[in-house]
Amino acid sequence: PPPMISRTSNMIAGSKTAQIALIVIATLLVCTLGTWRSGFSQSEGHRVVPAWEMMETGDWLVPRMFGQLYLRKPPGMFWAIAGMSKVLGQTEFAARSVSGLACLGMALGAWWFARRWFDPRLAIYAGLAQATLPLTWEMGRSAEIEALHAACVQACALSTLHLGLVCGRAKGSRGLVAAIVLCGVSLSAALLVKGPAGAPVMVAAAIASIVVSREGKWGWLASLSTSYAIIAALIIAAPIVGAVLWLSWRGVPAGELPIVQGPGEFLWDRTKVLNIAGLVPIALATGMPVSLAILAVRWRRAITASDAAALGLAATCVGSIVIAMAAGVANPRYVIPSLMLPAPLVAFALSGAEPFRRVARGACVALLLGLVAGGIIYGELSERARMGTGDRASGRDAGQALAEALVAQGITGPIEIHADGLIEARPEILLAAQRHAAAKGLSLIPRWTPATLRPLPGGTLVALRRDPEGDEIARLVKEGHLAVGAELPATLFDGKVGRYRFEVFRIVR
């Protein structure tokens, strides 16, 4: 390469500050650029509304969504969004920045462990590969749960594998305490963000860590030490998670039924047997191009510490997907944490045979630049889709139009608006309506009422879905709970977001 490029490459390879700066810039370009432009869409509201209600009510242990107990997920993601909103305000950018920072954490994690396991000069490629991974382009730009959960699971898995290297192959115990603490804290965080969803990765990492440490004359002792280190991490995590869950359930009022969601809803389904059987190749294809680095791993007895780390990392990635498949997982989305593990292997792959290093690194640089450009283009298209009229469109405009219509009709507040299917489908509509109505001087209070037309006071507003997928009025009439023209005499507002259509009525009693 030209001398100036060589000098620049050498400077970056030898400077941790320069490497960190490049990783930060790449992540910000791919995951946060323009995320303040569009309103919430799809299921983002299910994370944001409970977080902002925590801020308003001061109850940080019992999540609620429009007044309804909401225990589908632990409170970890809600806390993260509320924390960022405390700093940046209750905005779309603040809520989405949690995922952006999680993606940055994963990129820096891949870089940090690659420096310790493989050639430190090549760790920058691992960090940038993680930062530009196409799988993170969408989840890093959304106020959703996947990125934060994947970051916590990645930290837990990498630190667990590091325990195998520290206890088993490396002499001394440098970094042992830090690895145990990181493993325990990240395990606690993962459980508090998404419960046991990351269990396949954690189990696979623990097994691989113990296997990696079983080398040499005293391999059995190293394996025992690794087991004790993992147990120590569990001892750190157990009281944290247990205390939070106990306090949360203790704060649930007696007799009030929460909205919950069990893990069984995502497991074995006879209609998805083919998807379950093909989970491993489908998932690895989803994680490309980073998952290709697994091909560089030598699947045999490791000779060096680097070989052991690479083998343990690849085995954890593939093994965790196999465990998920055995549990009946059919959707590759649910094994995203597994696909956040191979990035450090990029540094391992580039440290291969000497004659091909320069060509491989040049190709990797070109690919990374292309991925950065692709991430920026995807981000722009994603924001346009949220501001458009398709299925990914935000409900912000519809919510603001609803608030304008209520104010124009002279409705005074405070007034409640009850809904069920609309909140289940697109909660951001009523969130936007509430915030816009407040700016217009109307106190609009959304309420999630699962039995939508249970006896409600006269004059109360109710929002009902009318699209073919979930026509609530047709269902209520069929079940004999509603006589059209009696309780609901006239439509106050008719709105549409993507494929969802809804109408707002004022109940007459």
Side-chain angles (χ1 to χ4, degrees):
M4 185 174 71
I5 295 179
S6 295
R7 286 195 297 271
T8 303
S9 177
N10 291 334
M11 181 190 72
I12 293 173
S15 171
K16 289 193 291 186
T17 303
Q19 292 185 6
I20 292 173
L22 280 177
I23 292 171
V24 170
I25 291 171
T27 307
L28 292 178
L29 288 174
V30 171
C31 294
T32 64
L33 189 64
T35 52
W36 54 85
R37 292 163 51 194
S38 60
F40 296 121
S41 68
Q42 297 178 304
S43 60
E44 287 183 301
H46 290 98
R47 321 302 172 204
V48 176
V49 174
W52 289 357
E53 286 199 21
M54 283 181 173
M55 297 174 66
E56 293 168 4
T57 63
D59 186 350
W60 293 81
L61 289 174
V62 183
R64 290 182 178 274
M65 186 169 177
F66 294 134
Q68 170 68 36
L69 274 174
Y70 188 73
L71 302 181
R72 282 182 177 169
K73 296 291 187 292
M77 183 62 179
F78 309 143
W79 290 344
I81 293 177
M84 291 305 300
S85 299
K86 279 278 189 182
V87 177
L88 302 175
Q90 293 185 359
T91 63
E92 286 85 357
F93 177 73
R96 290 169 178 158
S97 65
V98 172
S99 296
L101 290 174
C103 288
L104 176 59
M106 287 190 285
L108 292 175
W111 168 82
W112 193 90
F113 283 97
R115 283 184 63 87
R116 277 143 188 82
W117 294 345
F118 312 121
D119 189 339
R121 296 170 300 174
L122 301 177
I124 180 63
Y125 295 100
L128 290 176
Q130 179 65 58
T132 59
L133 179 63
L135 186 59
T136 67
W137 289 355
E138 179 60 31
M139 73 180 192
R141 306 179 62 84
S142 302
E144 258 297 350
I145 205 168
E146 276 79 15
L148 181 60
H149 179 249
C152 296
V153 174
Q154 184 214 52
C156 181
L158 295 182
S159 57
T160 300
L161 289 170
H162 194 65
L163 289 174
L165 295 177
V166 170
C167 295
R169 289 181 167 271
K171 295 181 179 180
S173 58
R174 183 183 176 187
L176 174 60
V177 174
I180 291 175
V181 172
L182 176 60
C183 183
V185 172
S186 56
L187 174 59
S188 303
L191 292 172
L192 290 174
V193 169
K194 206 175 180 182
V201 179
M202 299 170 190
V203 171
I207 295 173
S209 178
I210 293 171
V211 171
V212 162
S213 67
R214 296 190 63 178
E215 294 291 342
K217 183 178 180 180
W218 301 99
W220 64 272
L221 182 59
S223 179
L224 188 63
S225 300
T226 303
S227 301
Y228 285 150
I230 294 173
I231 291 172
L234 291 173
I235 291 173
I236 293 173
I240 297 174
V241 177
V244 170
L245 296 180
W246 180 76
L247 289 172
S248 297
W249 281 102
R250 190 173 179 225
V252 175
E256 189 170 354
L257 296 177
I259 292 178
V260 297
Q261 189 173 37
E265 296 183 31
F266 308 102
L267 303 180
W268 277 102
D269 184 340
R270 294 179 182 177
T271 64
K272 300 178 180 178
V273 171
L274 292 179
N275 291 345
I276 295 172
L279 183 65
V280 174
I282 293 172
L284 292 176
T286 303
M288 289 180 63
V290 171
S291 58
L292 291 174
I294 294 176
L295 299 176
V297 176
R298 293 176 281 275
W299 293 84
R300 56 179 173 78
R301 180 176 177 178
I303 299 175
T304 66
S306 293
D307 288 338
L311 182 58
L313 197 54
T316 300
C317 176
V318 177
S320 61
I321 300 174
V322 171
I323 292 173
M325 181 184 69
V329 173
N331 190 339
R333 178 183 178 184
Y334 301 138
V335 295
I336 284 177
S338 302
L339 303 175
M340 298 299 109
L341 300 180
L345 291 175
V346 174
F348 176 78
L350 292 177
S351 63
E354 180 64 36
F356 303 104
R357 283 186 185 177
R358 183 168 295 180
V359 174
R361 293 177 194 176
C364 189
V365 169
L367 178 59
L368 290 172
L369 290 174
L371 289 174
V372 170
I376 294 173
I377 294 171
Y378 179 88
E380 176 63 23
L381 295 176
S382 177
E383 294 307 306
R384 291 186 180 182
R386 286 173 176 162
M387 294 184 288
T389 58
D391 285 344
R392 294 191 58 214
S394 167
R396 183 172 63 183
D397 290 345
Q400 292 177 350
L402 168 60
E404 293 280 359
L406 297 179
V407 171
Q409 294 178 50
I411 293 178
T412 58
I415 187 169
E416 294 183 348
I417 178 168
H418 293 253
D420 182 14
L422 183 63
I423 294 176
E424 188 71 69
R426 302 303 291 267
E428 79 275 7
I429 296 174
L430 294 186
L431 176 64
Q434 180 186 33
R435 295 169 70 82
H436 193 69
K440 296 290 183 178
L442 172 62
S443 177
L444 183 64
I445 306 169
R447 295 292 185 196
W448 191 348
T449 309
T452 306
L453 283 180
R454 69 185 182 187
L456 297 172
T460 302
L461 301 179
V462 60
L464 299 174
R465 278 180 58 182
R466 295 303 310 272
D467 53 275
E469 293 182 27
D471 192 331
E472 291 181 288
I473 291 184
R475 175 175 60 82
L476 291 168
V477 170
K478 182 178 180 180
E479 295 174 356
H481 298 306
L482 174 67
V484 177
E487 288 94 343
L488 308 181
T491 302
L492 297 179
F493 182 79
D494 186 343
K496 187 176 184 295
V497 177
R499 66 178 183 274
Y500 301 109
R501 179 172 166 258
F502 68 99
E503 294 183 26
V504 177
F505 304 87
R506 194 165 192 170
I507 292 178
V508 175
R509 295 294 187 196

mmCIF file of all heavy atoms in Angstrom, residues 32-41 44 91-96 138 141-143 379-388 392-397 400 428:
data_model
loop_
_atom_site.group_PDB
_atom_site.id
_atom_site.type_symbol
_atom_site.label_atom_id
_atom_site.label_comp_id
_atom_site.label_asym_id
_atom_site.label_seq_id
_atom_site.Cartn_x
_atom_site.Cartn_y
_atom_site.Cartn_z
ATOM 1 N N THR A 32 -27.294 5.497 15.342
ATOM 2 C CA THR A 32 -27.996 6.637 15.951
ATOM 3 C C THR A 32 -28.290 7.784 14.992
ATOM 4 O O THR A 32 -29.109 8.644 15.316
ATOM 5 C CB THR A 32 -27.173 7.205 17.133
ATOM 6 O OG1 THR A 32 -25.938 7.737 16.649
ATOM 7 C CG2 THR A 32 -26.894 6.124 18.159
ATOM 8 N N LEU A 33 -27.677 7.803 13.839
ATOM 9 C CA LEU A 33 -27.865 8.923 12.925
ATOM 10 C C LEU A 33 -29.320 9.044 12.494
ATOM 11 O O LEU A 33 -29.887 8.151 11.885
ATOM 12 C CB LEU A 33 -26.960 8.739 11.698
ATOM 13 C CG LEU A 33 -26.871 9.932 10.735
ATOM 14 C CD1 LEU A 33 -26.232 11.128 11.443
ATOM 15 C CD2 LEU A 33 -26.044 9.553 9.504
ATOM 16 N N GLY A 34 -29.950 10.166 12.835
ATOM 17 C CA GLY A 34 -31.319 10.450 12.408
ATOM 18 C C GLY A 34 -32.414 9.828 13.237
ATOM 19 O O GLY A 34 -33.599 9.966 12.901
ATOM 20 N N THR A 35 -32.069 9.160 14.359
ATOM 21 C CA THR A 35 -33.108 8.476 15.137
ATOM 22 C C THR A 35 -34.026 9.445 15.874
ATOM 23 O O THR A 35 -35.021 9.006 16.460
ATOM 24 C CB THR A 35 -32.475 7.513 16.159
ATOM 25 O OG1 THR A 35 -31.499 8.213 16.939
ATOM 26 C CG2 THR A 35 -31.798 6.344 15.464
ATOM 27 N N TRP A 36 -33.727 10.723 15.854
ATOM 28 C CA TRP A 36 -34.582 11.719 16.508
ATOM 29 C C TRP A 36 -35.677 12.241 15.577
ATOM 30 O O TRP A 36 -36.549 12.996 15.997
ATOM 31 C CB TRP A 36 -33.714 12.889 16.964
ATOM 32 C CG TRP A 36 -32.879 13.467 15.852
ATOM 33 C CD1 TRP A 36 -33.259 14.405 14.934
ATOM 34 C CD2 TRP A 36 -31.542 13.089 15.521
ATOM 35 N NE1 TRP A 36 -32.242 14.657 14.048
ATOM 36 C CE2 TRP A 36 -31.165 13.864 14.387
ATOM 37 C CE3 TRP A 36 -30.620 12.202 16.058
ATOM 38 C CZ2 TRP A 36 -29.892 13.757 13.806
ATOM 39 C CZ3 TRP A 36 -29.367 12.106 15.466
ATOM 40 C CH2 TRP A 36 -29.009 12.866 14.374
ATOM 41 N N ARG A 37 -35.660 11.818 14.316
ATOM 42 C CA ARG A 37 -36.566 12.418 13.339
ATOM 43 C C ARG A 37 -37.961 11.824 13.367
ATOM 44 O O ARG A 37 -38.950 12.537 13.122
ATOM 45 C CB ARG A 37 -35.978 12.251 11.939
ATOM 46 C CG ARG A 37 -34.710 13.059 11.698
ATOM 47 C CD ARG A 37 -33.934 12.578 10.479
ATOM 48 N NE ARG A 37 -34.783 12.466 9.304
ATOM 49 C CZ ARG A 37 -34.420 11.819 8.203
ATOM 50 N NH1 ARG A 37 -33.253 11.211 8.150
ATOM 51 N NH2 ARG A 37 -35.235 11.768 7.176
ATOM 52 N N SER A 38 -38.088 10.550 13.614
ATOM 53 C CA SER A 38 -39.392 9.873 13.475
ATOM 54 C C SER A 38 -39.987 9.525 14.825
ATOM 55 O O SER A 38 -39.274 9.423 15.831
ATOM 56 C CB SER A 38 -39.222 8.593 12.651
ATOM 57 O OG SER A 38 -38.314 7.715 13.288
ATOM 58 N N GLY A 39 -41.290 9.324 14.840
ATOM 59 C CA GLY A 39 -41.974 8.911 16.056
ATOM 60 C C GLY A 39 -41.832 7.425 16.293
ATOM 61 O O GLY A 39 -41.343 6.685 15.441
ATOM 62 N N PHE A 40 -42.273 6.976 17.454
ATOM 63 C CA PHE A 40 -42.202 5.556 17.786
ATOM 64 C C PHE A 40 -43.090 4.754 16.837
ATOM 65 O O PHE A 40 -44.108 5.246 16.340
ATOM 66 C CB PHE A 40 -42.648 5.318 19.225
ATOM 67 C CG PHE A 40 -41.755 5.964 20.242
ATOM 68 C CD1 PHE A 40 -42.262 6.904 21.131
ATOM 69 C CD2 PHE A 40 -40.407 5.637 20.310
ATOM 70 C CE1 PHE A 40 -41.440 7.507 22.067
ATOM 71 C CE2 PHE A 40 -39.582 6.234 21.241
ATOM 72 C CZ PHE A 40 -40.095 7.174 22.125
ATOM 73 N N SER A 41 -42.701 3.502 16.608
ATOM 74 C CA SER A 41 -43.510 2.635 15.747
ATOM 75 C C SER A 41 -43.428 1.200 16.242
ATOM 76 O O SER A 41 -42.608 0.865 17.103
ATOM 77 C CB SER A 41 -43.023 2.705 14.286
ATOM 78 O OG SER A 41 -41.737 2.124 14.165
ATOM 79 N N GLU A 44 -42.275 -0.354 19.929
ATOM 80 C CA GLU A 44 -41.445 0.525 20.760
ATOM 81 C C GLU A 44 -42.223 1.082 21.946
ATOM 82 O O GLU A 44 -41.681 1.250 23.041
ATOM 83 C CB GLU A 44 -40.890 1.679 19.919
ATOM 84 C CG GLU A 44 -39.789 1.274 18.961
ATOM 85 C CD GLU A 44 -39.228 2.460 18.197
ATOM 86 O OE1 GLU A 44 -40.021 3.126 17.487
ATOM 87 O OE2 GLU A 44 -38.029 2.730 18.303
ATOM 88 N N THR A 91 -37.904 11.876 24.926
ATOM 89 C CA THR A 91 -37.904 12.021 23.470
ATOM 90 C C THR A 91 -37.614 10.673 22.820
ATOM 91 O O THR A 91 -37.148 9.731 23.463
ATOM 92 C CB THR A 91 -36.827 13.022 23.020
ATOM 93 O OG1 THR A 91 -35.529 12.502 23.374
ATOM 94 C CG2 THR A 91 -37.035 14.385 23.683
ATOM 95 N N GLU A 92 -37.879 10.612 21.523
ATOM 96 C CA GLU A 92 -37.578 9.405 20.773
ATOM 97 C C GLU A 92 -36.079 9.113 20.800
ATOM 98 O O GLU A 92 -35.669 7.953 20.929
ATOM 99 C CB GLU A 92 -38.054 9.543 19.319
ATOM 100 C CG GLU A 92 -39.550 9.450 19.126
ATOM 101 C CD GLU A 92 -40.274 10.781 19.342
ATOM 102 O OE1 GLU A 92 -39.587 11.763 19.710
ATOM 103 O OE2 GLU A 92 -41.502 10.834 19.164
ATOM 104 N N PHE A 93 -35.264 10.142 20.665
ATOM 105 C CA PHE A 93 -33.816 9.921 20.653
ATOM 106 C C PHE A 93 -33.324 9.345 21.972
ATOM 107 O O PHE A 93 -32.488 8.440 21.998
ATOM 108 C CB PHE A 93 -33.087 11.232 20.357
ATOM 109 C CG PHE A 93 -31.591 11.107 20.400
ATOM 110 C CD1 PHE A 93 -30.908 10.459 19.388
ATOM 111 C CD2 PHE A 93 -30.860 11.616 21.465
ATOM 112 C CE1 PHE A 93 -29.528 10.324 19.430
ATOM 113 C CE2 PHE A 93 -29.487 11.491 21.514
ATOM 114 C CZ PHE A 93 -28.814 10.847 20.489
ATOM 115 N N ALA A 94 -33.856 9.861 23.083
ATOM 116 C CA ALA A 94 -33.436 9.354 24.394
ATOM 117 C C ALA A 94 -33.779 7.883 24.546
ATOM 118 O O ALA A 94 -32.953 7.078 25.001
ATOM 119 C CB ALA A 94 -34.101 10.173 25.503
ATOM 120 N N ALA A 95 -34.993 7.504 24.165
ATOM 121 C CA ALA A 95 -35.409 6.109 24.308
ATOM 122 C C ALA A 95 -34.600 5.193 23.404
ATOM 123 O O ALA A 95 -34.194 4.094 23.802
ATOM 124 C CB ALA A 95 -36.900 5.975 24.001
ATOM 125 N N ARG A 96 -34.334 5.636 22.181
ATOM 126 C CA ARG A 96 -33.591 4.791 21.240
ATOM 127 C C ARG A 96 -32.094 4.769 21.533
ATOM 128 O O ARG A 96 -31.389 3.844 21.105
ATOM 129 C CB ARG A 96 -33.846 5.284 19.815
ATOM 130 C CG ARG A 96 -35.264 5.004 19.336
ATOM 131 C CD ARG A 96 -35.590 5.726 18.055
ATOM 132 N NE ARG A 96 -36.946 5.405 17.606
ATOM 133 C CZ ARG A 96 -37.661 6.160 16.778
ATOM 134 N NH1 ARG A 96 -37.134 7.298 16.314
ATOM 135 N NH2 ARG A 96 -38.878 5.805 16.429
ATOM 136 N N GLU A 138 -31.072 -2.402 12.496
ATOM 137 C CA GLU A 138 -32.418 -2.026 12.922
ATOM 138 C C GLU A 138 -32.545 -2.004 14.432
ATOM 139 O O GLU A 138 -33.083 -1.060 15.003
ATOM 140 C CB GLU A 138 -33.457 -2.979 12.321
ATOM 141 C CG GLU A 138 -34.899 -2.685 12.741
ATOM 142 C CD GLU A 138 -35.368 -1.289 12.351
ATOM 143 O OE1 GLU A 138 -34.913 -0.758 11.318
ATOM 144 O OE2 GLU A 138 -36.184 -0.717 13.111
ATOM 145 N N ARG A 141 -31.339 0.991 16.271
ATOM 146 C CA ARG A 141 -32.039 2.257 16.019
ATOM 147 C C ARG A 141 -33.439 2.277 16.625
ATOM 148 O O ARG A 141 -34.207 3.198 16.360
ATOM 149 C CB ARG A 141 -32.157 2.487 14.504
ATOM 150 C CG ARG A 141 -30.847 2.416 13.742
ATOM 151 C CD ARG A 141 -31.074 2.638 12.263
ATOM 152 N NE ARG A 141 -31.630 3.951 12.023
ATOM 153 C CZ ARG A 141 -30.901 5.062 11.927
ATOM 154 N NH1 ARG A 141 -29.595 5.013 12.052
ATOM 155 N NH2 ARG A 141 -31.478 6.217 11.703
ATOM 156 N N SER A 142 -33.784 1.273 17.410
ATOM 157 C CA SER A 142 -35.139 1.148 17.938
ATOM 158 C C SER A 142 -35.125 1.120 19.462
ATOM 159 O O SER A 142 -34.183 0.611 20.073
ATOM 160 C CB SER A 142 -35.809 -0.131 17.414
ATOM 161 O OG SER A 142 -35.842 -0.141 16.003
ATOM 162 N N ALA A 143 -36.186 1.643 20.044
ATOM 163 C CA ALA A 143 -36.351 1.568 21.503
ATOM 164 C C ALA A 143 -36.918 0.208 21.851
ATOM 165 O O ALA A 143 -37.984 0.079 22.450
ATOM 166 C CB ALA A 143 -37.275 2.692 21.985
ATOM 167 N N GLY A 379 -30.305 3.226 7.549
ATOM 168 C CA GLY A 379 -30.867 4.109 8.568
ATOM 169 C C GLY A 379 -31.777 5.165 7.964
ATOM 170 O O GLY A 379 -32.852 5.455 8.500
ATOM 171 N N GLU A 380 -31.355 5.733 6.838
ATOM 172 C CA GLU A 380 -32.184 6.733 6.177
ATOM 173 C C GLU A 380 -33.492 6.115 5.675
ATOM 174 O O GLU A 380 -34.580 6.698 5.851
ATOM 175 C CB GLU A 380 -31.411 7.352 5.013
ATOM 176 C CG GLU A 380 -32.200 8.351 4.187
ATOM 177 C CD GLU A 380 -32.645 9.581 4.978
ATOM 178 O OE1 GLU A 380 -32.009 9.900 6.000
ATOM 179 O OE2 GLU A 380 -33.646 10.216 4.563
ATOM 180 N N LEU A 381 -33.399 4.943 5.085
ATOM 181 C CA LEU A 381 -34.614 4.263 4.608
ATOM 182 C C LEU A 381 -35.531 3.889 5.770
ATOM 183 O O LEU A 381 -36.760 3.971 5.658
ATOM 184 C CB LEU A 381 -34.230 3.010 3.815
ATOM 185 C CG LEU A 381 -33.468 3.242 2.513
ATOM 186 C CD1 LEU A 381 -33.075 1.912 1.882
ATOM 187 C CD2 LEU A 381 -34.297 4.067 1.534
ATOM 188 N N SER A 382 -34.931 3.485 6.878
ATOM 189 C CA SER A 382 -35.726 3.118 8.043
ATOM 190 C C SER A 382 -36.487 4.321 8.592
ATOM 191 O O SER A 382 -37.674 4.221 8.937
ATOM 192 C CB SER A 382 -34.811 2.538 9.131
ATOM 193 O OG SER A 382 -35.538 2.230 10.296
ATOM 194 N N GLU A 383 -35.822 5.469 8.670
ATOM 195 C CA GLU A 383 -36.501 6.667 9.164
ATOM 196 C C GLU A 383 -37.614 7.095 8.210
ATOM 197 O O GLU A 383 -38.681 7.537 8.649
ATOM 198 C CB GLU A 383 -35.489 7.804 9.349
ATOM 199 C CG GLU A 383 -34.468 7.547 10.439
ATOM 200 C CD GLU A 383 -35.128 7.197 11.757
ATOM 201 O OE1 GLU A 383 -35.980 7.961 12.227
ATOM 202 O OE2 GLU A 383 -34.795 6.137 12.317
ATOM 203 N N ARG A 384 -37.392 6.978 6.927
ATOM 204 C CA ARG A 384 -38.443 7.324 5.956
ATOM 205 C C ARG A 384 -39.635 6.390 6.088
ATOM 206 O O ARG A 384 -40.790 6.820 5.946
ATOM 207 C CB ARG A 384 -37.879 7.270 4.535
ATOM 208 C CG ARG A 384 -36.879 8.375 4.231
ATOM 209 C CD ARG A 384 -36.475 8.364 2.770
ATOM 210 N NE ARG A 384 -35.511 9.407 2.459
ATOM 211 C CZ ARG A 384 -35.024 9.651 1.248
ATOM 212 N NH1 ARG A 384 -35.441 8.920 0.217
ATOM 213 N NH2 ARG A 384 -34.146 10.614 1.064
ATOM 214 N N ALA A 385 -39.349 5.100 6.354
ATOM 215 C CA ALA A 385 -40.442 4.150 6.533
ATOM 216 C C ALA A 385 -41.271 4.504 7.767
ATOM 217 O O ALA A 385 -42.501 4.407 7.750
ATOM 218 C CB ALA A 385 -39.885 2.729 6.663
ATOM 219 N N ARG A 386 -40.621 4.922 8.842
ATOM 220 C CA ARG A 386 -41.346 5.320 10.048
ATOM 221 C C ARG A 386 -42.166 6.577 9.813
ATOM 222 O O ARG A 386 -43.208 6.766 10.443
ATOM 223 C CB ARG A 386 -40.359 5.566 11.187
ATOM 224 C CG ARG A 386 -39.767 4.296 11.789
ATOM 225 C CD ARG A 386 -38.684 4.635 12.772
ATOM 226 N NE ARG A 386 -38.161 3.445 13.438
ATOM 227 C CZ ARG A 386 -37.017 3.384 14.082
ATOM 228 N NH1 ARG A 386 -36.247 4.471 14.134
ATOM 229 N NH2 ARG A 386 -36.620 2.275 14.670
ATOM 230 N N MET A 387 -41.707 7.437 8.926
ATOM 231 C CA MET A 387 -42.450 8.661 8.634
ATOM 232 C C MET A 387 -43.423 8.487 7.472
ATOM 233 O O MET A 387 -44.087 9.436 7.075
ATOM 234 C CB MET A 387 -41.462 9.800 8.319
ATOM 235 C CG MET A 387 -40.610 10.204 9.516
ATOM 236 S SD MET A 387 -39.524 11.629 9.218
ATOM 237 C CE MET A 387 -38.303 10.906 8.135
ATOM 238 N N GLY A 388 -43.500 7.267 6.934
ATOM 239 C CA GLY A 388 -44.383 7.009 5.813
ATOM 240 C C GLY A 388 -45.755 6.521 6.244
ATOM 241 O O GLY A 388 -46.227 6.807 7.346
ATOM 242 N N ARG A 392 -44.683 -0.108 8.808
ATOM 243 C CA ARG A 392 -43.668 0.332 9.760
ATOM 244 C C ARG A 392 -43.838 1.795 10.147
ATOM 245 O O ARG A 392 -43.009 2.347 10.869
ATOM 246 C CB ARG A 392 -42.274 0.124 9.172
ATOM 247 C CG ARG A 392 -41.904 -1.351 8.973
ATOM 248 C CD ARG A 392 -40.433 -1.498 8.654
ATOM 249 N NE ARG A 392 -39.631 -0.932 9.721
ATOM 250 C CZ ARG A 392 -38.448 -0.316 9.517
ATOM 251 N NH1 ARG A 392 -37.982 -0.197 8.290
ATOM 252 N NH2 ARG A 392 -37.762 0.163 10.518
ATOM 253 N N ALA A 393 -44.914 2.414 9.686
ATOM 254 C CA ALA A 393 -45.121 3.831 9.962
ATOM 255 C C ALA A 393 -45.363 4.077 11.444
ATOM 256 O O ALA A 393 -45.930 3.252 12.154
ATOM 257 C CB ALA A 393 -46.302 4.353 9.150
ATOM 258 N N SER A 394 -44.937 5.240 11.898
ATOM 259 C CA SER A 394 -45.171 5.642 13.280
ATOM 260 C C SER A 394 -46.621 6.065 13.463
ATOM 261 O O SER A 394 -47.259 6.599 12.543
ATOM 262 C CB SER A 394 -44.246 6.810 13.642
ATOM 263 O OG SER A 394 -44.632 7.410 14.859
ATOM 264 N N GLY A 395 -47.139 5.847 14.673
ATOM 265 C CA GLY A 395 -48.497 6.294 14.995
ATOM 266 C C GLY A 395 -48.548 7.698 15.565
ATOM 267 O O GLY A 395 -49.601 8.134 16.027
ATOM 268 N N ARG A 396 -47.422 8.411 15.533
ATOM 269 C CA ARG A 396 -47.387 9.750 16.114
ATOM 270 C C ARG A 396 -48.356 10.698 15.424
ATOM 271 O O ARG A 396 -49.096 11.435 16.093
ATOM 272 C CB ARG A 396 -45.964 10.316 16.041
ATOM 273 C CG ARG A 396 -45.814 11.693 16.693
ATOM 274 C CD ARG A 396 -44.357 12.111 16.774
ATOM 275 N NE ARG A 396 -43.758 12.257 15.450
ATOM 276 C CZ ARG A 396 -42.461 12.557 15.259
ATOM 277 N NH1 ARG A 396 -41.656 12.710 16.306
ATOM 278 N NH2 ARG A 396 -41.986 12.679 14.042
ATOM 279 N N ASP A 397 -48.366 10.698 14.099
ATOM 280 C CA ASP A 397 -49.258 11.612 13.379
ATOM 281 C C ASP A 397 -50.718 11.306 13.674
ATOM 282 O O ASP A 397 -51.534 12.215 13.864
ATOM 283 C CB ASP A 397 -48.994 11.529 11.876
ATOM 284 C CG ASP A 397 -47.649 12.124 11.495
ATOM 285 O OD1 ASP A 397 -47.058 12.844 12.329
ATOM 286 O OD2 ASP A 397 -47.177 11.849 10.373
ATOM 287 N N GLN A 400 -51.553 12.557 17.181
ATOM 288 C CA GLN A 400 -51.688 14.017 17.216
ATOM 289 C C GLN A 400 -52.981 14.469 16.539
ATOM 290 O O GLN A 400 -53.646 15.406 17.019
ATOM 291 C CB GLN A 400 -50.474 14.655 16.553
ATOM 292 C CG GLN A 400 -49.184 14.460 17.337
ATOM 293 C CD GLN A 400 -47.959 15.040 16.640
ATOM 294 O OE1 GLN A 400 -48.033 15.437 15.467
ATOM 295 N NE2 GLN A 400 -46.843 15.096 17.348
ATOM 296 N N GLU A 428 -48.103 3.589 20.685
ATOM 297 C CA GLU A 428 -47.586 4.960 20.516
ATOM 298 C C GLU A 428 -48.664 5.934 20.060
ATOM 299 O O GLU A 428 -48.508 7.160 20.200
ATOM 300 C CB GLU A 428 -46.418 4.961 19.534
ATOM 301 C CG GLU A 428 -46.777 4.895 18.060
ATOM 302 C CD GLU A 428 -46.986 3.483 17.550
ATOM 303 O OE1 GLU A 428 -46.985 2.551 18.377
ATOM 304 O OE2 GLU A 428 -47.149 3.300 16.323
#
